[in-house]
Amino acid sequence: MAKTYDYLFKLLLIGDSGVGKTCVLFRFSEDAFNTTFISTIGIDFKIRTIDLDGKKIKLQIWDTAGQERFRTITTAYYRGAMGIMLVYDITNEKSFENIKNWIRNIEENASSDVEKMLLGNKCELEEKRQVSKERGEQLAVEYGIKFIETSAKASIRVEEAFFTLARDIKAKMEKKLVSHVYNDCF
Amino acid sequence: MDYELPSEFDLIVVGTGMIESIVAAAASRIGKRVLHIDSNNYYGGLWASFNLDSISNILNSASNIETNLEVKQFLTENEKIYQFGNDAFHMHTHSQIWHIPEKANEQTETEQSDLPTECIQKEEESWTQEKLLKNSRKFNIDIAPKLHFARGDFVELLISSNIARYSEFRSVSRVLTWLNGQLEVVPCSRSDVFSSTKVSVIEKRMLMKLLTSCVDGDEKEFVGYENKTFRTYLKDRKLTDNLIHYVLYAIAMATDTTPCLEGVENTKRFLSSLGRFGKTPFLYSMYGSGEITQAFCRLSAVFGGVYALSQPLNGLIFNNENKFKSLLCGQQRISAEHLVMGIEKLPKEFVNFTATQFISRAVFVIDRSIMASEKENLTLLLFPPEDGKNPCTMIEVGPLTGTCPKDTYIVHMFTKQTTNPEEDFKHCVERLFGNSKNESETGEKENLLPNVLWSFYYTVPNTVNLDLKNGIPKNIFVCPGPDLDLDYDPAIAQAKAIFNEIYPDLEFLPRAPDPEEIIIEGEDNNNIVTEGENLTDQPIDEATEAVADLQIETSNDHGEGSSGIEQGEAE
């Protein structure tokens, strides 16, 4: 069977309950928004194939299946993940504070070279904002990762976020391939 | 934690061992409200895998039961409460020993400048505790290691239930036995038999004939052998001693006293799994066997199962008819119709059975494979019975399985206990491992025995054959711990039996839909996802293919996050 893609990237969504991980996932994979899937029943992962610089990239994006609620995400969830979207809710201070716990969790369980990105979701709710954009940016700088504010509901910058993450993974991968070739030659 | 657990469920499962996890998955799958809860801070219970740091801590893991909590206040009239846990069914550690120095000898370091480069490198290569512990996270050490028959109950269940998408496997690349004082590769496939240099042409014909008659031989073949041993049958077939050894101890994993029909069954189990995924009939779970329990927990969670680890489980509450009502988690009462629990969590008051059989187990971290080869191997070694010792099963895994760092291997051993693990494995350890201090003198690395860097001997009670209903309230179901089977067959059978008893007319783990098949309905009609729309903009054949079968890791490099996942069956 011919491959219909050049690369397959496994991506994860991580963050507190209720920050909108599943909504972000559906906005990106189906261009749909739905308020009824409050708890994530039956959603395992979603697939979308995108074009990047002439390459077809199949993104397999995994949801936490509610196991984030009591911090019981399985170590198996992290296996083979190449990119992680860390999501918080800009109207929920606590979800922002917990990002550092999630990063610790990632450091313990994921591959050390996993590409990470920070998302401040629900940016359409400006009037309820508890976490300023600057604080988000600052935290991202601290961890040396990229940051974007999104709205799954209003469809703001969700595409951009996933494309950015995918582009960074692709760049890292190609760099690795080049250095392998280089090492083999000399 | 900001969240509170709901107070009512259909089923509460206490403990995250294999059988508990399968039952939790099966119940969630058919829409039951399941709480899966554990006092441990890790998944897997007696079936877990650990990194090097944490494996030393499981032995003295502090219980978080609030001992000074006045539990009576949570009870109504006529209710009783029992504390979780007993001492009878836990694993028992005999020893956990480092065989290497804690740190690199500082004296050597200062002397290094005077030594030729060769020697400095030598010094850098040798392992220290510090260096191994720095790589602690790269270890996934199973306490109940398993292999999977390619066409066994477990693999079939993973595929039919669609749980296969949560795990990756590697093929076992060789089956070894100990024969005439050395390790020998067991010829297991037709091509192995024909290419083997250890088996003569006549033997080849005899062996093929025997294996064929075991697989599809009619009833008559074994008439008169009902009360005889498999060994007698093989002798009667005029097999040479070497062939008998291969068939009896390796392929049938039997002993001299195994009844003929059981030996034939075992042979069938082995042969029928050949040719599906690799050169041998076996698979091993990437990142360790502990991943498997988590795969079932993931399915349960996807279907609404609520997961909570590290919970202060303060007791089980019963009414005056001795029926389970609720459990006390912290200060919260959580009720359910049924309770499923691991045997090690059972309150002392209900322990009406004692284990009479024990499993001796050992794990070794070593610095090279037990049998050197150009490529990294994943090995099953079946050590035959001798001098009153039981046959020992050994699994050697290397860095490509994601269970140990580069330049190390892990060897797991297990056997039916006769005295204690040290004694039960002594003869194997003496032959397989060395303590080659004279390495530099001989200089021939290939012939060297691996050095043991770290060893761990422990005992686990074999509880699979106990009558776990004896004196147990009707709405409680007790799951036994790990057994001696190479695969999960008995565990699956137990889980299925428990499920069928609780939910007699419901299907056990029907196929979970692929993400593409799920239709989300909502109030916002413009955005309803329909299956049709979905099909048009996605390469659905590709997507379903990716999860329809087992994921077999075949890459041969040590790169992290490798994407070399290939699906499908080997020719």
Side-chain angles (χ1 to χ4, degrees):
Chain A
M1 188 176 59
K3 266 192 182 176
T4 53
Y5 57 88
D6 300 298
Y7 298 124
L8 168 67
F9 293 170
K10 179 181 173 183
L11 309 181
L12 308 180
L13 288 159
I14 290 206
D16 278 9
S17 253
V19 298
K21 293 183 296 297
T22 309
C23 294
V24 166
L25 178 59
F26 269 75
R27 172 57 69 196
F28 182 69
S29 62
E30 316 282 359
D31 198 19
F33 182 79
N34 193 318
T35 51
T36 56
F37 37 79
I38 300 155
S39 62
T40 318
I41 290 185
I43 311 297
D44 219 346
F45 59 84
K46 284 281 181 187
I47 284 168
R48 182 173 157 189
T49 306
I50 62 169
D51 274 311
L52 261 187
D53 315 323
K55 296 272 189 225
K56 280 212 181 308
I57 299 179
K58 181 164 148 184
L59 302 178
Q60 188 188 46
I61 311 160
W62 290 71
D63 205 351
T64 50
Q67 287 181 317
E68 79 284 10
R69 217 169 315 157
F70 300 96
R71 297 204 182 282
T72 50
I73 291 185
T74 58
T75 55
Y77 182 67
Y78 292 98
R79 304 287 182 212
M82 298 153 89
I84 299 179
M85 285 289 189
L86 281 145
V87 191
Y88 69 90
D89 170 359
I90 67 148
T91 71
N92 181 342
E93 172 73 31
K94 189 86 195 160
S95 74
F96 179 70
E97 283 166 19
N98 276 334
I99 289 291
K100 53 180 184 300
N101 295 330
W102 287 118
I103 288 189
R104 199 175 321 132
N105 211 298
I106 291 168
E107 282 167 355
E108 275 167 27
N109 295 299
S111 154
S112 55
D113 63 351
V114 70
E115 200 66 42
K116 296 181 283 281
M117 185 165 180
L118 185 63
L119 293 196
N121 193 36
K122 304 196 187 175
C123 74
E124 84 282 2
L125 298 173
E126 195 54 55
E127 70 284 3
K128 288 188 184 165
R129 182 189 281 274
Q130 289 184 356
V131 183
S132 72
K133 197 176 171 188
E134 289 68 37
R135 287 176 63 205
E137 277 164 355
Q138 204 187 331
L139 187 69
V141 168
E142 229 173 89
Y143 287 108
I145 59 179
K146 286 186 179 160
F147 168 69
I148 240 175
E149 281 197 348
T150 55
S151 167
K153 189 175 185 184
S155 188
I156 300 168
R157 287 188 291 272
V158 175
E159 292 267 316
E160 191 186 329
F162 281 99
F163 272 77
T164 306
L165 185 62
R167 190 170 286 124
D168 289 350
I169 296 169
K170 181 168 165 275
K172 186 180 270 181
M173 218 169 103
E174 282 164 352
K175 203 172 142 196
K176 225 179 182 177
L177 282 176
V178 169
S179 76
H180 272 302
V181 172
Y182 184 86
N183 287 338
D184 287 350
C185 289
F186 299 96
Chain B
M1 202 63 55
D2 302 341
Y3 313 99
E4 197 180 308
L5 287 164
S7 290
E8 227 192 291
F9 289 88
D10 296 318
L11 173 69
I12 295 175
V13 181
V14 178
T16 47
M18 185 64 184
I19 299 167
E20 298 92 301
S21 300
I22 300 176
V23 175
S28 300
R29 180 68 190 86
I30 53 160
K32 299 298 171 189
R33 295 169 304 158
V34 176
L35 171 65
H36 200 173
I37 200 164
D38 202 329
S39 49
N40 297 335
N41 63 359
Y42 54 88
Y43 279 99
L46 295 171
W47 311 70
S49 304
F50 296 92
N51 66 34
L52 199 51
D53 263 332
S54 55
I55 198 161
S56 47
N57 296 326
I58 49 164
L59 318 166
N60 36 23
S61 59
S63 94
N64 49 3
I65 292 167
E66 299 166 44
T67 40
N68 51 3
L69 182 73
E70 186 47 70
V71 290
K72 285 259 156 49
Q73 59 179 308
F74 302 101
L75 305 182
T76 60
E77 218 182 324
N78 296 325
E79 281 185 337
K80 286 168 294 184
I81 186 161
Y82 297 120
Q83 294 234 326
F84 279 97
N86 61 73
D87 303 323
F89 301 113
H90 267 287
M91 57 189 276
H92 169 65
T93 298
H94 290 262
S95 70
Q96 214 186 81
I97 298 171
W98 284 105
H99 301 266
I100 44 175
E102 201 179 326
K103 287 178 181 180
N105 193 337
E106 281 181 34
Q107 214 181 352
T108 333
E109 270 173 34
T110 52
E111 282 173 11
Q112 262 178 18
S113 53
D114 305 328
L115 293 170
T117 347
E118 223 177 301
C119 296
I120 292 173
Q121 273 171 353
K122 182 90 228 86
E123 204 52 52
E124 277 169 357
E125 271 169 27
S126 61
W127 286 101
T128 60
Q129 294 177 30
E130 196 182 29
K131 201 167 153 193
L132 266 193
L133 283 169
K134 217 180 246 175
N135 284 290
S136 165
R137 265 198 50 203
K138 294 203 170 122
F139 283 98
N140 282 296
I141 304 170
D142 301 336
I143 54 171
K146 292 284 178 187
L147 294 183
H148 316 297
F149 284 88
R151 277 179 226 281
D153 292 353
F154 170 74
V155 166
E156 297 301 349
L157 177 65
L158 275 201
I159 294 173
S160 69
S161 64
N162 226 344
I163 293 173
R165 65 167 76 136
Y166 303 127
S167 33
E168 276 178 69
F169 297 88
R170 269 191 94 83
S171 298
V172 170
S173 56
R174 61 184 181 187
V175 178
L176 301 181
T177 185
W178 182 265
L179 176 61
N180 302 330
Q182 58 183 352
L183 289 171
E184 292 284 358
V185 176
V186 176
C188 37
S189 68
R190 186 182 286 264
S191 62
D192 275 1
V193 172
F194 282 107
S195 63
S196 172
T197 52
K198 305 275 177 183
V199 185
S200 75
V201 179
I202 299 165
E203 283 181 317
K204 279 175 190 174
R205 218 176 300 147
M206 286 158 72
L207 185 57
M208 286 312 296
K209 200 174 156 221
L210 176 100
L211 297 180
T212 313
S213 55
C214 274
V215 173
D216 40 44
D218 53 310
E219 304 284 299
K220 278 181 236 155
E221 173 76 17
F222 307 105
V223 166
Y225 285 98
E226 291 82 357
N227 297 315
K228 291 183 182 166
T229 64
F230 190 46
R231 189 185 180 92
T232 309
Y233 169 74
L234 297 175
K235 276 254 179 222
D236 291 354
R237 286 295 164 277
K238 305 271 190 303
L239 257 61
T240 59
D241 286 348
N242 280 3
L243 287 189
I244 290 177
H245 183 104
Y246 287 139
V247 177
L248 184 65
Y249 301 135
I251 293 174
M253 297 176 214
T255 67
D256 295 341
T257 55
T258 304
C260 176
L261 297 183
E262 192 185 320
V264 173
E265 269 316 303
N266 290 357
T267 306
K268 273 187 192 167
R269 191 184 182 199
F270 184 102
L271 295 176
S272 63
S273 282
L274 268 174
R276 188 174 198 181
F277 294 120
K279 273 162 52 186
T280 73
F282 307 106
L283 297 173
Y284 178 73
S285 165
M286 288 285 296
Y287 311 107
S289 300
E291 298 282 296
I292 298 300
T293 61
Q294 298 184 19
F296 284 89
C297 293
R298 165 88 192 179
L299 184 90
S300 173
V302 166
F303 284 90
V306 175
Y307 277 78
L309 301 179
S310 315
Q311 296 300 308
L313 298 180
N314 285 326
L316 283 174
I317 300 167
F318 294 83
N319 70 6
N320 56 354
E321 288 160 350
N322 211 26
K323 189 182 176 205
F324 162 74
K325 295 298 287 179
S326 328
L327 65 76
L328 189 61
C329 176
Q331 308 205 7
Q332 186 187 6
R333 268 183 79 131
I334 306 173
S335 307
E337 268 304 298
H338 298 99
L339 177 79
V340 169
M341 65 195 307
I343 191 165
E344 75 278 14
K345 312 276 188 192
L346 195 65
K348 291 182 194 74
E349 290 81 354
F350 291 126
V351 177
N352 299 312
F353 23 74
T354 45
T356 50
Q357 272 186 23
F358 293 85
I359 305 170
S360 281
R361 291 183 182 273
V363 192
F364 304 89
V365 174
I366 55 178
D367 60 355
R368 61 177 71 92
S369 172
I370 50 171
M371 189 174 167
S373 149
E374 256 173 54
K375 275 188 179 170
E376 179 180 325
N377 276 290
L378 212 172
T379 310
L380 169 65
L381 163 57
L382 298 151
F383 211 97
E386 59 175 54
D387 303 337
K389 302 258 192 187
N390 285 322
C392 299
T393 308
M394 301 177 205
I395 301 168
E396 185 192 67
V397 293
L400 288 174
T401 60
T403 57
C404 56
K406 211 166 163 266
D407 298 324
T408 64
Y409 284 82
I410 295 176
V411 171
H412 294 280
M413 297 187 183
F414 57 93
T415 187
K416 194 173 152 189
Q417 188 160 94
T418 32
T419 48
N420 62 61
E422 281 96 338
E423 278 303 311
D424 291 347
F425 298 126
K426 199 171 170 221
H427 63 301
C428 306
V429 170
E430 278 169 0
R431 285 160 185 177
L432 296 175
F433 306 140
N435 241 340
S436 55
K437 289 265 193 276
N438 316 326
E439 192 173 308
S440 45
E441 284 169 36
T442 62
E444 284 173 60
K445 267 200 161 181
E446 289 80 57
N447 301 328
L448 284 173
L449 297 174
N451 293 305
V452 177
L453 310 177
W454 177 88
S455 65
F456 176 28
Y457 289 92
Y458 57 108
T459 295
V460 185
N462 190 354
T463 49
V464 74
N465 292 320
L466 297 180
D467 175 16
L468 299 178
K469 294 197 163 306
N470 184 17
I472 303 292
K474 275 207 164 58
N475 59 343
I476 293 186
F477 300 84
V478 181
C479 306
D483 50 74
L484 269 169
D485 193 66
L486 187 60
D487 201 349
Y488 287 117
D489 292 28
I492 292 169
Q494 289 274 349
K496 213 169 180 172
I498 290 173
F499 176 85
N500 286 336
E501 233 177 293
I502 307 176
Y503 307 113
D505 303 315
L506 295 167
E507 196 182 349
F508 178 73
L509 286 171
R511 181 179 167 279
D514 287 322
E516 296 77 19
E517 298 162 1
I518 297 168
I519 304 163
I520 306 292
E521 292 173 34
E523 76 265 8
D524 183 355
N525 281 329
N526 297 327
N527 286 329
I528 291 181
V529 183
T530 68
E531 217 165 348
E533 269 177 61
N534 205 17
L535 283 169
T536 54
D537 63 351
Q538 274 193 28
I540 189 151
D541 54 332
E542 191 67 24
T544 42
E545 178 67 24
V547 292
D549 217 325
L550 279 206
Q551 305 179 54
I552 312 291
E553 176 68 57
T554 52
S555 79
N556 249 322
D557 60 65
H558 293 269
E560 272 190 89
S562 122
S563 56
I565 300 164
E566 286 179 24
Q567 289 87 32
E569 303 191 4
E571 286 304 308

